[in-house]
Amino acid sequence: VIPIRREGKGEVGGLTLDESATGATLFVEPPVAQALMNELRELEREEAREVLRILREQTDALRPLLSLLESSQEALVEFDSLYARARAALAWQGRAPGLLPPGTRHLTVVDGRHPLLLERREGAVVPFTLTLEEGERVLVVSGPNTGGKSVFLKALGLMALLAQSGVVPPVGRGTRLPLFRDVFADIGDEQSIAESLSTYSAHLANLKDIVLHAGPDSLVLIDEMGTGTDPQEGAALSRAILEELVERGTLTVVTSHLGALKRLDVPGSGVANASLQFDPDRICLLY
């Protein structure tokens, strides 16, 4: 387009496409430009027709190979996934764990580490080694605040899920994990104003789901069990739930500061205690 004064429109002719804010200037596509644009648009339409013809021709040539192309794409996706998982295993220095049948009543984790801690690369990550013997169905973990209890709990769940997803978790040689049909987790504060859920009632909703559905081939992870209410009431409810899970043979790991839960570890109870340590001399957490 070209800008012309309004009074010169009759001399130039052509198509007016717009005008200035004051109306004194018109933006006009002159007749010579119209002819050139018509020619350009025709060439563009011819180009589009030719592109479509070539694509149809190539599609017809490839159509007999459709099943082979689909198989090739699936193989490339699988190789890409394997390559990514192999790189992750090397970066984590992980070792493929032994997988035990569902319902197996023991597990061993050697040099387990949370993968996100490894990704942060801020100082050395302290690994953990855990062995639950036959008959130890519930593990109660205690220890100081910020000592790593919740991270340990999340790492254990991640290791089980990663292994069952075909991803080598960040564990050492000698790790043996059962196959779990379900993993239940009550970790964090799920308080909801919209759902009228307090911190404690949100925990209760999760615990109800666990009690209704957890079985002998499930993994249950509960963080800060029994908190959010009166300590005696929380301890009584927690004890009842843990005894029910022991009866079902459900592998359960909970963290808690409640002394009543620590006292459940008696011969034949199916409950074992563990703790994360604190160095009182250096006043530091040992994770």
Side-chain angles (χ1 to χ4, degrees):
V1 298
I2 57 173
I4 62 172
R5 296 189 63 79
R6 179 174 291 275
E7 53 269 24
K9 170 69 170 62
E11 298 180 18
V12 176
L15 180 65
T16 301
L17 299 180
D18 205 350
E19 62 181 26
S20 66
T22 62
T25 302
L26 301 177
F27 299 97
V28 176
E29 184 180 27
V32 63
Q34 288 179 342
L36 291 172
M37 285 303 299
N38 289 338
E39 182 181 355
L40 178 61
R41 291 193 179 97
E42 180 58 31
L43 291 172
E44 288 175 343
R45 286 192 290 269
E46 288 182 12
E47 179 188 32
R49 286 194 294 269
E50 181 64 11
V51 168
L52 185 59
R53 184 193 67 78
I54 293 171
L55 289 175
R56 284 174 172 166
E57 185 179 283
Q58 295 300 313
T59 301
D60 290 338
L62 292 173
R63 188 169 283 112
L65 305 174
L66 176 61
S67 61
L68 293 175
L69 291 171
E70 288 178 337
S71 299
S72 297
Q73 183 186 27
E74 291 171 1
L76 287 171
V77 170
E78 185 66 24
F79 277 125
D80 192 44
S81 173
L82 287 170
Y83 179 63
R85 284 179 277 167
R87 288 189 61 182
L90 290 173
W92 294 340
Q93 297 181 352
R95 296 291 183 271
L99 296 179
L100 306 172
T104 301
R105 298 182 179 274
H106 61 87
L107 68 79
T108 301
V109 177
V110 179
D111 290 341
R113 292 145 292 155
H114 195 295
L116 291 183
L117 289 180
L118 297 174
E119 292 298 320
R120 286 173 57 188
R121 305 182 188 280
E122 296 178 5
V125 177
V126 180
F128 70 89
T129 294
L130 169 67
T131 300
L132 285 179
E133 304 288 355
E134 192 81 22
E136 295 178 334
R137 300 309 294 161
V138 171
L139 181 68
V140 178
V141 183
S142 59
N145 288 324
T146 72
K149 298 189 299 298
S150 298
V151 172
F152 158 73
L153 205 64
K154 295 174 183 177
L156 189 60
L158 278 173
M159 288 165 191
L161 294 173
L162 286 171
Q164 290 183 212
S165 302
V167 180
V168 176
V171 295
R173 198 181 307 277
T175 297
R176 294 167 64 81
L177 298 170
L179 291 171
F180 299 105
R181 298 190 190 279
D182 305 287
V183 176
F184 298 91
D186 179 26
I187 299 174
D189 186 351
E190 296 184 23
Q191 183 186 72
S192 172
I193 296 175
E195 298 295 332
S196 299
L197 286 175
S198 67
T199 297
Y200 185 59
S201 57
H203 284 303
L204 281 181
N206 291 333
L207 294 174
K208 176 184 176 182
D209 186 55
I210 290 170
V211 171
L212 285 175
H213 301 106
D217 48 9
S218 302
L219 173 64
V220 172
L221 306 170
I222 305 174
D223 193 25
E224 298 293 350
M225 191 174 193
T227 58
T229 187
D230 177 81
Q232 289 186 332
E233 295 177 0
L237 176 64
S238 299
R239 175 172 183 167
I241 292 173
L242 293 182
E243 289 176 346
E244 173 65 20
L245 294 174
V246 169
E247 187 69 23
R248 296 184 190 181
T250 303
L251 183 59
T252 305
V253 182
V254 305
T255 68
S256 180
H257 290 288
L258 297 176
L261 298 188
K262 303 173 191 177
R263 292 192 290 272
L264 296 178
D265 181 5
V266 296
S269 66
V271 180
N273 280 338
S275 65
L276 288 144
Q277 295 179 336
F278 180 83
D279 187 337
D281 297 326
R282 293 185 296 156
I283 312 179
C284 66
L285 300 160
L286 300 179
Y287 302 105

